[in-house]
């Protein structure tokens, strides 16, 4: 009954080298570095009660209504989800005053970004985004072997938007090869934003061969007059794709749910490349219930407003240069090796995010949390820097 070994070990066989066989973009790709889970840190250090302020998650958690709906949906987990997500799309369409045919759902909005790259980018085509912009734009661009054109950001000493998007510099890099421009509004990790006039002028100048992706993952947190809700601009700009997520203010990052609002023609193309069941039934149910809980969103905005002020003020009082943020996180210049500060904070049970990989050496990003946890971070920072 002995089975014959097809190739004797040690025989001279050509070496299998999967990396050499990969497309060029993937060979040079650095994988996205996610924030470390609390359980991992606690296991590594043998501590308890660590806090994670590294991934811009909602400190209040999900809406209780979303949790109940998710639990109920689990009982039907043997059935494939509604691949067209009829109810959730209808609710989102109503919320934004658009047609359901203009909504594309994703396994997180990151999947939407990937669908966009697979639909419009390829070798010989290019994407434009800003320096210090969200890390997923270069990732999805490179993965399909398209060219990434990085526009320089506004200067570090810019009075309102240090390190923010310079839309004029981005526009300068757009030519006939550029199929996609990515604008994060507000941007992560800088927390900077662009106003309606600037953005409108930028969109007015884009050629009809370029799609504009406006990533509004943190839109619900922004309380600035002049901050545009570009889901209302689709009639004017058929080349516009607005992305939103349930990961941030809705507190559903673990369920992976995001969406795009676009023209029906754009949505129809995204729909061709997406997997038929890319959004699971539990996420659909939770998302639908979350949309009906405006109070949870309001409370989240309120907690964030207070926490952002608390953290920004406390960091400035300590002499740090803080990038003014309109999101649920704040990035500041530690004035030293941010990796070392990050490591020391972790030993204190506080997980933050160094952002050297975003071209911001010395800077640390911290997620706004509850008053108590913001305090814990500040106390730990004081101990670490003492
Ligand atoms: C967090 C974040 C997202 C959301 O990603 P999901 O895949 O929806 O969790 C999108 N864009 C930016 C800029 C973000 O910071």
């Amino acid at each position: 009954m002995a089975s014959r070994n097809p190739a004797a070990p040690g025989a001279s066989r050509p070496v299998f080298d999967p990396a050499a066989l990969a497309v060029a973009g993937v060979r040079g790709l650095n994988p996205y570095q996610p924030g470390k889970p609390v359980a991992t840190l606690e296991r590594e250090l043998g501590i308890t009660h660590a806090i994670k302020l590294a991934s811009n998650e909602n400190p209040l958690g999900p809406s209780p209504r979303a949790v109940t709906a998710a639990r109920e949906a689990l009982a039907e987990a043997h059935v494939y989800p509604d691949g067209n997500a009829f109810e959730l799309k209808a609710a989102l369409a109503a919320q934004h005053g658009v047609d359901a045919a203009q909504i594309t759902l994703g396994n997180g909005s990151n999947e939407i970004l990937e669908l966009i790259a697979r639909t419009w980018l390829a070798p010989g085509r290019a994407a434009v985004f800003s320096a210090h912009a969200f890390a997923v734009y270069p990732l999805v661009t490179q993965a399909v072997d398209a060219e990434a054109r990085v526009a320089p950001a506004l200067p570090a000493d810019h009075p309102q938007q240090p390190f923010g998007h310079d839309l004029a510099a981005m526009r300068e890099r757009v030519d006939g090869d550029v199929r996609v421009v990515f604008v994060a509004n507000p941007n992560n990790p800088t927390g900077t934003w662009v106003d309606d006039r600037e953005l409108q002028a930028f969109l007015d100048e884009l050629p009809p061969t370029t799609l504009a992706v406006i990533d509004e993952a943190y839109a619900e947190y922004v309380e600035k007059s002049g901050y545009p809700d570009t889901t209302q601009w689709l009639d004017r700009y058929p080349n516009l794709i607005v992305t939103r997520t349930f990961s941030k203010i809705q507190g559903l990052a673990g369920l992976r749910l995001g969406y795009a609002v676009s023209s029906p023609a754009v949505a129809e193309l995204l729909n061709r490349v997406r997997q038929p069941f890319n959004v699971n039934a539990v996420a659909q149910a939770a998302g639908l219930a979350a949309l009906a809980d405006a109070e949870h969103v309001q409370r989240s905005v309120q907690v964030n407003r207070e926490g952002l002020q608390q953290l920004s003020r406390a960091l400035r009082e300590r002499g740090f240069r803080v990038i003014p943020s309109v999101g649920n996180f704040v990035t500041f210049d530690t004035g030293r090796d941010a990796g070392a500060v990050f490591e020391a904070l972790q030993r204190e049970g506080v997980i933050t995010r160094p952002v050297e990989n975003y071209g911001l050496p010395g800077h640390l990003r911290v997620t706004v949390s509850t008053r108590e946890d913001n305090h814990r971070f500040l106390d730990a920072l004081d101990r670490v820097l003492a």
Side-chain angles (χ1 to χ4, degrees):
M1 293 293 281
S3 70
R4 197 167 295 154
N5 207 342
S12 69
R13 294 174 69 202
V15 177
F16 170 62
D17 181 356
L21 304 174
V23 299
V26 173
R27 281 203 298 276
L29 209 55
N30 289 318
Y32 181 81
Q33 302 281 347
K36 182 178 286 197
V38 163
T40 308
L41 181 71
E42 291 180 341
R43 204 162 50 234
E44 284 173 3
L45 296 182
I47 60 171
T48 53
H49 307 300
I51 54 172
K52 181 181 172 198
L53 307 177
S55 302
N56 304 341
E57 293 146 342
N58 188 332
L60 303 183
S63 154
R65 293 203 213 175
V67 175
T68 301
R71 196 174 284 134
E72 283 169 7
L74 274 176
E76 299 295 320
H78 59 296
V79 180
Y80 276 101
D82 175 1
N84 193 37
F86 178 83
E87 282 191 273
L88 180 54
K89 278 192 188 176
L92 286 169
Q95 169 164 311
H96 293 294
V98 299
D99 199 271
Q102 296 178 257
I103 309 283
T104 306
L105 294 178
N107 195 262
S109 58
N110 282 347
E111 192 198 15
I112 302 279
L113 300 175
E114 193 174 27
L115 296 178
I116 291 167
R118 284 169 50 205
T119 304
W120 287 285
L121 295 176
R125 299 170 175 213
V128 168
F129 45 84
S130 175
H132 322 300
F134 187 43
V136 171
Y137 313 147
L139 212 152
V140 299
T141 302
Q142 202 179 323
V144 296
D145 268 339
E147 179 197 346
R149 292 190 193 165
V150 184
L154 294 172
D157 60 357
H158 191 278
Q160 286 92 38
Q161 312 287 345
F163 304 109
H165 285 18
D166 181 344
L167 293 184
M170 291 177 71
R171 174 64 189 90
E172 272 176 33
R173 280 155 184 81
V174 174
D175 62 22
D177 293 334
V178 172
R179 287 288 167 280
V180 181
V181 294
F182 292 104
V183 175
N185 197 29
N187 183 42
N188 168 19
T190 57
T192 50
W193 63 291
V194 295
D195 72 19
D196 44 10
R197 279 186 32 238
E198 271 182 285
L199 190 56
Q200 205 173 307
F202 175 75
L203 294 175
D204 281 336
E205 283 191 5
L206 276 188
T209 43
T210 302
L211 289 107
V213 178
I214 315 295
D215 180 344
E216 298 184 354
Y218 302 95
E220 300 89 343
Y221 288 109
V222 184
E223 300 188 283
K224 296 280 183 191
S225 70
Y227 174 74
D229 172 0
T230 57
T231 63
Q232 304 308 302
W233 292 10
L234 286 157
D235 289 340
R236 223 177 324 159
Y237 303 109
N239 58 339
L240 183 62
I241 305 179
V242 186
T243 63
R244 295 280 185 106
T245 185
F246 284 77
S247 298
K248 302 290 155 58
I249 202 140
Q250 297 288 9
L252 292 172
L255 285 185
R256 315 303 303 125
L257 180 59
Y259 61 100
V261 190
S262 68
S263 74
V266 163
E268 195 273 322
L269 286 160
L270 291 173
N271 202 45
R272 291 184 197 183
V273 290
R274 106 185 144 81
Q275 294 290 320
F277 304 116
N278 62 331
V279 175
N280 70 76
V282 177
Q284 288 186 30
L288 185 63
L291 285 179
D293 193 348
E295 199 199 321
H296 179 261
V297 171
Q298 273 166 26
R299 214 149 32 89
S300 302
V301 170
Q302 164 101 16
V303 167
N304 188 67
R305 180 192 306 133
E306 291 167 7
L308 182 60
Q309 207 171 64
Q310 177 193 2
L311 279 180
S312 307
R313 193 174 289 165
L315 288 168
R316 287 201 181 94
E317 277 168 11
R318 285 160 173 77
F320 296 113
R321 272 216 304 201
V322 178
I323 306 177
S325 172
V326 296
N328 69 341
F329 55 89
V330 61
T331 296
F332 66 103
D333 188 352
T334 64
R336 58 208 89 196
D337 176 2
V341 179
F342 158 76
E343 294 285 349
L345 283 170
Q346 279 202 161
R347 288 192 290 275
E348 299 280 334
V350 179
I351 313 174
T352 57
R353 182 72 74 96
V355 286
E356 181 158 23
N357 58 326
Y358 285 89
L360 294 168
H363 288 69
L364 212 57
R365 188 191 71 197
V366 55
T367 301
V368 174
S369 188
T370 58
R371 179 161 192 80
E372 189 193 347
D373 282 356
N374 295 336
H375 256 301
R376 272 191 63 188
F377 158 72
L378 291 166
D379 288 347
L381 187 66
D382 287 342
R383 282 195 298 277
V384 160
L385 300 180

